[in-house]
Amino acid sequence: MPPPNLPPLPPPPPFFWGETPEEEYYKSQGVRNSKSHFETPNGKIFTQSWLPLDEDQPVKAVVFMTHGYGSDSSWCFQKICIAYAKWGYAVFAADLLGHGRSDGLHGYIGDMDKAAATSLSYFVSVRRSEEYSNLPAFLLGESMGGLITILMYFQSDPDTWSGLILSSPLLVIPEGMIPSKLHLTMYGLLFGLADTWAAMPDSRMVAKAIKDVEKLKIIAVNPKRYTGKPRVGTMREIVRVTNYVQNNFEKVKVPFFVAHGTSDGLACHTGSEMLYEKAVTAKEDKVLKLYEGMYHSLIQGEPDDAVALVLGDMKAWIDEKAQKFGSKCTTD
């Protein structure tokens, strides 16, 4: 179902960019893409990589990306993946359990710790591979993927990651979207039977995530996007894990970059501010960028000039950190 206030939408194109075949499009962007599935004890997950087109080009660092709620790695989320690959980074992403082409009930994450561990198992297998083990490595998460990215960081061995990059992370739920304790308690009394039900109140705030209407139309026709009401277990986990992470911000010790719009209707920018204040990361290694008037989807849904601003800030930060940590890797 399309978001409210949109006219009927035409059938979706085969790709978010239109009809151009994948290989031709990626080549025009200066990147190459590969797809595969990764077997885990919790199910099979769909994975992708984006690398600089020139195979002889030295890779600056590796970036492991996690999409947000109801999304996947194969539609507009690719914009951020392609951007980093064009900058000279090796990019890897996985569809979360219950999302995109990964196993699980669509739109359902009944155990967010398990979902984080599942994607992390793939990321760590790549990070520890001979090709990438000596390079700096960063975790990047958008929206709910930002929340899950912090869980992955908590679950990881020390010194696994060189830093975190978070775009509009869901660390504090907007008041209008917080599920009532009555609903969660009522469904909880059904002994888990209702956990997968698509029964939670839906505030229909998708339109508030995307400022550019033409981009909203493209996102709305993503064939893999979950469009049902939020599932009980997923919302229960979002409430639980946001509370957990808020109480453990001081465990964040690595460098990080956080981008957030001040008019974000799906994830409060106060969460990013709390992370910046409470994380014990050295002050010179943590950056919080608040973008006045921008909505939730900074890379996929803002006008092009605003997107260029955010990407420019991201590139400046990771280029500086990759050079800093890359020189260490070289001398070790």
Side-chain angles (χ1 to χ4, degrees):
M1 181 181 298
N5 305 320
L6 276 182
L9 298 172
F15 310 106
F16 80 85
W17 59 78
E19 305 282 344
T20 305
E22 280 187 296
E23 187 173 352
E24 182 181 338
Y25 176 76
Y26 291 131
K27 188 174 181 179
S28 75
Q29 298 298 303
V31 305
R32 49 197 162 97
N33 170 268
S34 66
K35 301 174 174 62
S36 63
H37 282 86
F38 185 78
E39 293 282 355
T40 82
N42 301 319
K44 187 165 59 175
I45 57 174
F46 177 73
T47 70
Q48 295 196 73
S49 70
W50 296 260
L51 303 170
L53 185 61
D54 182 358
E55 295 186 28
D56 295 324
Q57 177 181 341
V59 170
K60 299 177 183 177
V62 199
V63 187
F64 299 90
M65 300 193 177
T66 302
H67 62 80
Y69 170 79
S71 185
D72 67 300
S73 66
S74 296
W75 203 249
C76 290
F77 184 72
Q78 288 192 76
K79 290 182 178 181
I80 194 167
C81 305
I82 291 169
Y84 275 74
K86 288 172 69 173
W87 300 338
Y89 295 91
V91 177
F92 295 84
D95 288 354
L96 292 165
L97 287 174
H99 290 71
R101 286 180 263 187
S102 290
D103 285 350
L105 179 65
H106 202 195
Y108 177 63
I109 297 181
D111 183 338
M112 198 167 282
D113 295 298
K114 183 172 78 172
T118 302
S119 291
L120 180 63
S121 66
Y122 166 65
F123 291 164
V124 169
S125 74
V126 177
R127 200 269 177 278
R128 291 179 176 166
S129 66
E130 183 177 353
E131 188 172 4
Y132 299 114
S133 60
N134 291 324
L135 287 175
F138 299 84
L139 291 174
L140 182 151
E142 180 181 65
S143 189
M144 185 185 74
L147 177 65
I148 291 175
T149 291
I150 292 184
L151 280 186
M152 291 185 201
Y153 169 70
F154 288 161
Q155 293 174 1
S156 299
D157 293 335
D159 302 322
T160 302
W161 307 111
S162 307
L164 308 176
I165 304 162
L166 305 172
S167 178
S168 307
L170 178 55
L171 305 176
V172 172
I173 309 170
E175 187 172 341
M177 292 180 60
I178 299 173
S180 72
K181 291 183 179 179
L182 174 63
H183 277 106
L184 291 176
T185 301
M186 180 177 67
Y187 288 127
L189 292 174
L190 295 176
F191 302 101
L193 292 174
D195 212 52
T196 61
W197 291 1
M200 297 304 290
D202 185 358
S203 56
R204 306 299 293 168
M205 296 178 75
V206 176
K208 292 191 72 174
I210 314 296
K211 181 175 286 185
D212 189 302
V213 175
E214 293 305 311
K215 294 178 179 180
L216 173 59
K217 292 176 183 178
I218 295 171
I219 289 173
V221 296
N222 176 0
K224 298 293 184 184
R225 186 173 72 89
Y226 177 68
T227 58
K229 286 187 175 182
R231 297 190 187 275
V232 174
T234 304
M235 292 307 297
R236 168 182 48 76
E237 282 294 278
I238 288 174
V239 171
R240 179 184 71 83
V241 176
T242 51
N243 287 331
Y244 169 75
V245 167
Q246 288 168 27
N247 290 324
N248 287 276
F249 280 146
E250 71 279 358
K251 293 181 180 178
V252 177
K253 301 176 181 179
V254 293
F256 64 81
F257 176 95
V258 186
H260 219 128
T262 61
S263 297
D264 189 334
L266 298 184
C268 294
H269 63 81
T270 54
S272 292
E273 294 173 280
M274 289 168 59
L275 170 63
Y276 180 82
E277 292 297 327
K278 295 185 177 183
V280 300
T281 303
K283 191 165 186 180
E284 65 270 18
D285 284 333
K286 56 183 178 180
V287 172
L288 169 63
K289 290 283 187 177
L290 294 177
Y291 298 97
E292 188 65 34
M294 290 196 196
Y295 287 14
H296 183 64
S297 189
L298 298 175
I299 309 302
Q300 304 168 37
E302 288 288 321
D304 290 346
D305 57 343
V307 174
L309 173 63
V310 177
L311 287 176
D313 288 340
M314 286 184 166
K315 183 178 186 300
W317 186 87
I318 195 171
D319 281 351
E320 191 269 327
K321 296 304 175 191
Q323 184 175 32
K324 175 182 177 180
F325 294 116
S327 60
K328 287 184 178 180
C329 291
T330 303
T331 56
D332 283 348

